[in-house]
Amino acid sequence: MEHDEKLARFRQAHLNPFNKQLGPRQHEQRASEEAPDIASEETLPELPPGEPEFHCAERVMDLGLSEDHFSRPVQLQQAIEECKQMILELPEHSERQKDAVVRLIHLRLKLQELKDPNEDEPNIRVLLEHRFYKEKSKSVKQTCDKCNTIIWGLIQTWYTCTGCYYRCHSKCLNLISKPCVRSKVSHQAEYELNICPEAGLDSQDYRCAECRAPISLRGVPSEARQCDYTGQYYCSHCHWNDLAVIPARVVHNWDFEPRKVSRCSMRYLALMVSRPVLRLREINPLLFNYVEELVEIRKLRQDILLMKPYFITCKEAMEARLLLQLQDRQHFVENDEMYSVQDLLDAHTGRLGCSLTETHTLFAKHIKLDCERCQAKGFVCELCREGDVLFPFDSHTSVCSDCSAVFHRDCYYDNSTTCPKCARLSLRKQSLFQEPGPDVDV
């Protein structure tokens, strides 16, 4: 109450110069109106008899948040300790304890800003072929791949490699010893096609295959976890029991069950999943005899390759950009042998067959119905000279391997003679060689 009286006397002694036109009675009336408001705002509520007072600690914490001279780490740490002591002494679940917890959080945030300032951190860091970019997301909770702890984006600076998506704290950047997996994908884009090629812990000297930390199957000093892709053993920091589809099991067994792999293998498989590096005819040619979906997909891919010359020489097709229908699977318009793991996954689920059938129908509609230029490039069976215009991608046709002429399949196999077009071309060549030159006539 003494503070309120002193404040009221101070305001009466220092009147606003713009209010000089007010009389004495009006000043007294205005002061009496302001007094209750001051008392209601400035006076702290009385505490219960058993609850202690902590005015000093609150003032220290407020200064730590607002005043510049209290923004040094030493003073902030002192205010944090006093706030923690205050939380322990206050009654549980009380409003004052909740307010103290909020103040403690703000103090710790400000202390973290001083220890880990975002402004001083560069936006790009290059280490061991990693290209790290500073993340600006504050709400997404991630896990540091180096120290295996949570990254609190609200109070910590963290980086992500744009090549292999390796995430870590800014304080862990200089401790990284693992090179970027993207470089391995660029220089050696191939899979391990032996199913879980295990060699044993003794071949690794009972150490982690990546960080060389001591491991054992008994879990002392660290648990040994096997990677189903490489067959090697890793510690719990390098193997988080992530699940991934193993390419060797897909190619040999048509097995798509996810299995446990190390962090490094998981990143490598994730980067390689869309790369067409599997030549199934060489790795496992018998797979086409047991998987009907692959036979259908191979026929669709062969037809699309036969349609490609029509689109390249067609102005309307180039303007409509029909070949961009397969821009996600560019290798489908280049060959019919290479597959990616993603192609096999989609073939197993049935999505690839459906999408390729739709694309095949769209391409055939343009060539046979919509475009007159493409229709003019069709063939007529020279063996029977009957029926409609034929195209090499029709299901009832056969194509000569030498001259690419198109015939009805029944006519081509029933005719025991050679291809008429090939015979005509050979006669033309012979006639050119037999004709005498102009020098001989002279």
Side-chain angles (χ1 to χ4, degrees):
M1 297 301 293
E2 294 180 0
H3 173 73
D4 299 336
E5 293 176 359
K6 291 180 179 179
L7 184 60
R9 289 197 298 269
F10 176 82
R11 288 185 174 180
Q12 291 178 2
H14 299 78
L15 296 177
N16 192 339
F18 295 99
N19 296 335
K20 289 184 178 181
Q21 65 272 20
L22 298 178
R25 292 183 180 180
Q26 292 175 337
H27 284 300
E28 293 177 1
Q29 183 179 0
R30 183 169 181 177
S32 62
E33 291 177 356
E34 293 178 354
D37 296 336
I38 296 171
S40 61
E41 294 179 0
E42 301 294 339
T43 306
L44 295 175
E46 296 183 1
L47 298 177
E51 189 170 356
E53 296 183 358
F54 298 94
H55 299 294
C56 181
E58 289 182 1
R59 289 184 63 188
V60 170
M61 287 185 292
D62 290 339
L63 283 173
L65 290 173
S66 59
E67 299 295 335
D68 292 337
H69 62 272
F70 238 98
S71 60
R72 296 181 180 179
V74 178
Q75 284 85 351
L76 280 173
Q77 190 64 42
Q78 181 181 358
I80 288 173
E81 295 300 328
E82 293 179 1
C83 189
K84 290 166 62 177
Q85 185 65 26
M86 174 183 174
I87 293 172
L88 294 176
E89 294 178 358
L90 284 172
E92 294 186 0
H93 307 296
S94 64
E95 293 296 329
R96 291 176 59 80
Q97 189 185 47
K98 294 179 181 179
D99 294 340
V101 171
V102 173
R103 291 193 185 98
L104 178 61
I105 293 173
H106 286 292
L107 285 170
R108 285 182 169 175
L109 287 175
K110 189 163 186 178
L111 181 62
Q112 185 64 33
E113 289 179 359
L114 293 177
K115 291 184 177 180
D116 188 19
N118 295 337
E119 293 79 5
D120 296 340
E121 295 287 347
N123 291 326
I124 303 175
R125 297 283 298 274
V126 180
L127 294 170
L128 297 176
E129 299 186 6
H130 290 280
R131 189 173 181 83
F132 287 104
Y133 273 80
K134 184 170 66 173
E135 293 288 349
K136 298 180 180 180
S137 176
K138 301 297 183 181
S139 59
V140 180
K141 185 173 71 174
Q142 303 288 349
T143 304
C144 178
D145 287 317
K146 176 58 183 176
C147 62
N148 201 10
T149 58
I150 296 176
I151 299 174
W152 299 100
L154 187 63
I155 61 176
Q156 292 177 325
T157 305
W158 57 291
Y159 287 81
T160 300
C161 176
T162 57
C164 64
Y165 305 105
Y166 188 95
R167 301 181 182 90
C168 67
H169 298 98
S170 61
K171 62 182 181 181
C172 299
L173 277 179
N174 296 328
L175 304 177
I176 294 176
S177 58
K178 305 173 184 176
C180 184
V181 182
R182 173 74 70 175
S183 60
K184 181 181 178 181
V185 173
S186 302
H187 299 116
Q188 187 182 4
E190 59 182 9
Y191 285 116
E192 171 61 58
L193 295 180
N194 294 319
I195 298 177
C196 194
E198 181 181 0
L201 271 174
D202 56 341
S203 63
Q204 300 178 203
D205 196 20
Y206 294 90
R207 293 182 178 274
C208 174
E210 190 166 345
C211 68
R212 307 304 297 168
I215 54 175
S216 70
L217 294 176
R218 295 180 299 175
V220 180
S222 180
E223 177 188 5
R225 299 178 179 179
Q226 187 181 26
C227 174
D228 195 82
Y229 174 69
T230 62
Q232 296 178 316
Y233 289 88
Y234 299 82
C235 65
S236 57
H237 288 283
C238 302
H239 194 313
W240 295 4
N241 290 329
D242 297 304
L243 298 177
V245 175
I246 309 301
R249 296 184 181 273
V250 173
V251 172
H252 294 292
N253 300 339
W254 201 243
D255 179 12
F256 292 89
E257 181 182 356
R259 301 178 188 273
K260 296 180 180 180
V261 295
S262 64
R263 295 290 293 175
C264 184
S265 298
M266 187 198 68
R267 293 193 195 91
Y268 182 77
L269 294 175
L271 293 174
M272 288 283 294
V273 68
S274 299
R275 286 181 172 257
V277 296
L278 297 174
R279 194 183 297 271
L280 293 184
R281 289 182 182 178
E282 295 181 1
I283 300 172
N284 185 9
L286 296 178
L287 194 61
F288 291 92
N289 298 336
Y290 296 96
V291 183
E292 297 179 358
E293 297 91 338
L294 289 179
V295 178
E296 179 184 357
I297 289 171
R298 182 175 61 181
K299 180 62 172 65
L300 291 172
R301 291 184 63 176
Q302 291 173 351
D303 290 347
I304 289 174
L305 289 177
L306 294 173
M307 296 177 185
K308 181 180 177 182
Y310 290 86
F311 297 144
I312 293 176
T313 57
C314 177
K315 182 179 179 181
E316 296 179 3
M318 296 299 291
E319 291 178 353
R321 299 185 178 182
L322 291 179
L323 289 177
L324 289 182
Q325 298 289 330
L326 295 171
Q327 60 181 345
D328 295 334
R329 306 180 197 270
Q330 189 65 30
H331 53 285
F332 279 14
V333 296
E334 296 174 356
N335 59 75
D336 63 336
E337 297 181 352
M338 306 303 294
Y339 292 83
S340 66
V341 173
Q342 189 63 51
D343 295 337
L344 302 181
L345 281 168
D346 294 340
H348 177 66
T349 58
R351 291 190 302 172
L352 181 58
C354 294
S355 63
L356 270 185
T357 302
E358 293 177 0
T359 305
H360 184 279
T361 304
L362 177 65
F363 289 178
K365 180 175 177 292
H366 171 83
I367 295 173
K368 302 175 71 173
L369 298 177
D370 298 340
C371 181
E372 295 182 357
R373 295 181 182 178
C374 294
Q375 292 178 22
K377 298 174 184 177
F379 294 82
V380 176
C381 180
E382 296 185 30
L383 298 175
C384 66
R385 297 186 182 279
E386 296 179 357
D388 300 332
V389 178
L390 303 180
F391 292 92
F393 50 85
D394 289 333
S395 59
H396 60 285
T397 60
S398 294
V399 181
C400 177
S401 58
D402 296 329
C403 65
S404 300
V406 182
F407 308 93
H408 290 110
R409 179 173 299 173
D410 297 336
C411 299
Y412 187 73
Y413 287 106
D414 292 343
N415 187 20
S416 58
T417 59
T418 59
C419 170
K421 186 176 180 180
C422 291
R424 188 167 61 251
L425 291 175
S426 62
L427 290 174
R428 184 179 301 174
K429 290 181 180 179
Q430 291 177 6
S431 63
L432 290 175
F433 285 113
Q434 290 178 358
E435 290 181 357
D439 298 337
V440 176
D441 294 339
V442 175

